[in-house]
Amino acid sequence: MAHDVRTSGSALDREMAGLDALELGGGGAPRRALQRAWSAIWPMGAAALIGLLAWQIVVWSGWKEPWVLPGPKDTLPVFKDQVTSSRFWEAAALTMRRAVVGFAVAVAIGVLVGAMVSQSRILRRAFGSLITGLQTMPSIAWFPLAILLFQLSESAILFVVVLGAAPSIANGLIAGVDYTPPILLRAGKVMGLRGVNLYRHLIMPASLPSFVAGLKQGWAFAWRSLMAGELLVIIGDTTSLGVLLSQARELNNTADMISYMIVILVIGIVIDQLFGVVDRSIRTRWGLDQD
C-alpha cells in the first residue's frame, strides 16, 4: 500500500515537473531574455534599413548632385574610417565629458529647484511659470549672453547646457510631486514621516516615474544645447564632435558631415535606451510591466 502511494506520488511529481517545463517554454529565463532582446533589436534594425532605403531613394531621384548629397554606398565607408580613427575618439571623449558634467550639474540644480518649488506655494507662484518659460526658450538664444559673460570657454558651453536641461528636470520633479496620491501623504504622516524623511522615503519614490521622464527630457535638451555650443563656441585647438562637424561643413565634405551626424544620432539613441532600461525597471517594480 505504502509502495503504491510512493509510486503515485513520484508519478505526480514527474507530471508537475513536466507541466512546469511546458509553462516555461522549455528554455526558461534565457529564452525569455533572448525573446526580449530580439523584440527590442528587430524594430530598430528595420527602422535603420527603412531610413537607408529612403535616403538612397532620395539620391536616386536626382534631387541634389552626388557631391552635395552622397548616398549610403559612398557615406558608410567614410563613416567606418572616421569611427576607427584616434582623432574621432578624442573628439567623442571631449564631447561626452562635457555632456556628462553639464547634465550632472543640471540634475543637481534641477532637483534642488524642483524640491523647493514643489514644497512652497509662494515659490511656485513666483517661479513656476518662469521655469516653464526657461524650458521653452531655445538654447541657441543663450549663447550671445554666454559668450559675453564667459568668452569662448568651457564655462560658456556648460552655462547653456545647464540652462537647457535644468528646467525640464525641475518640472519633472514638480509634476511627480503634484501627482503623488494624497492618501500616501496622509499615511506617511501617520507613520511619523516629516520634513526630509517624508520627502526621501515617500515623495521621491512616488514621483520617480515623472522624475525619470524629466531626466530623459532634460538630457535631450542638454544634448541639443551641447551640439549647438560646440558649433558656435570653438575653443583654441580643442577637437569635439561639433568642431569636426563644423570643419566638414566648411570644407563641403558632405560624406564626413553625414558620418558625424550619424554618430550624434547613435549616441542619442543609446542614451535613450539607457533611460528606457531605467523606466522598465521602475514599471516592473511597480507591477506595471505585463511582459
Side-chain angles (χ1 to χ4, degrees):
M1 182 70 177
H3 176 72
D4 293 339
V5 171
R6 287 195 299 269
T7 303
S8 61
S10 60
L12 179 60
D13 291 339
R14 288 194 300 270
E15 291 177 0
M16 293 299 295
L19 289 175
D20 290 340
L22 180 61
E23 182 180 357
L24 293 174
R31 171 174 288 188
R32 291 197 299 272
L34 290 175
Q35 288 175 345
R36 290 195 187 99
W38 172 247
S39 65
I41 291 173
W42 80 260
M44 297 177 62
L49 291 176
I50 292 172
L52 290 173
L53 178 60
W55 178 8
Q56 185 62 58
I57 290 174
V58 172
V59 173
W60 283 335
S61 70
W63 177 54
K64 293 291 182 180
E65 296 294 331
W67 65 270
V68 176
L69 181 62
K73 182 180 67 175
D74 299 321
T75 303
L76 294 181
V78 175
F79 172 78
K80 180 181 177 181
D81 292 339
Q82 293 293 348
V83 298
T84 55
S85 66
S86 59
R87 184 168 182 257
F88 164 81
W89 287 107
E90 292 173 0
L94 176 58
T95 296
M96 292 308 299
R97 179 178 63 80
R98 288 171 173 173
V100 171
V101 171
F103 186 63
V105 174
V107 169
I109 294 175
V111 169
L112 179 62
V113 172
M116 292 190 300
V117 171
S118 64
Q119 295 302 302
S120 172
R121 292 183 180 180
I122 296 176
L123 290 178
R124 183 183 294 252
R125 291 171 183 171
F127 297 105
S129 298
L130 176 61
I131 294 173
T132 302
L134 291 174
Q135 180 180 352
T136 59
M137 191 169 179
S139 58
I140 198 169
W142 290 105
F143 276 104
L145 177 61
I147 294 173
L148 182 64
L149 292 175
F150 303 103
Q151 288 75 50
L152 297 178
S153 65
E154 295 283 346
S155 298
I157 297 176
L158 180 63
F159 175 77
V160 177
V161 170
V162 172
L163 282 176
S168 296
I169 297 170
N171 271 337
L173 181 56
I174 293 170
V177 173
D178 287 346
Y179 284 95
T180 300
I183 191 172
L184 289 181
L185 298 176
R186 290 196 295 269
K189 292 177 180 178
V190 169
M191 296 174 64
L193 295 178
R194 296 290 188 277
V196 176
N197 287 330
L198 178 67
Y199 210 88
R200 176 185 174 186
H201 296 291
L202 194 148
I203 295 177
M204 278 298 294
S207 61
L208 199 55
S210 293
F211 181 54
V212 171
L215 289 175
K216 185 176 180 179
Q217 189 177 51
W219 166 259
F221 280 110
W223 189 239
R224 289 166 55 185
S225 301
L226 177 60
M227 289 299 102
E230 290 187 344
L231 287 171
L232 294 175
V233 181
I234 299 176
I235 305 168
D237 58 351
T238 58
T239 302
S240 62
L241 290 178
V243 170
L244 293 178
L245 186 62
S246 178
Q247 290 175 350
R249 177 188 59 82
E250 292 172 355
L251 296 174
N252 291 327
N253 194 337
T254 310
D256 281 356
M257 187 168 60
I258 295 177
S259 298
Y260 297 132
M261 291 171 65
I262 292 174
V263 170
I264 293 169
L265 175 63
V266 169
I267 292 174
I269 292 173
V270 170
I271 300 299
D272 178 75
Q273 290 299 307
L274 293 178
F275 278 112
V277 170
V278 175
D279 181 68
R280 285 191 295 273
S281 66
I282 294 174
R283 291 175 59 84
T284 300
R285 185 175 180 181
W286 283 29
L288 299 175
D289 194 348
Q290 300 300 322
D291 293 339

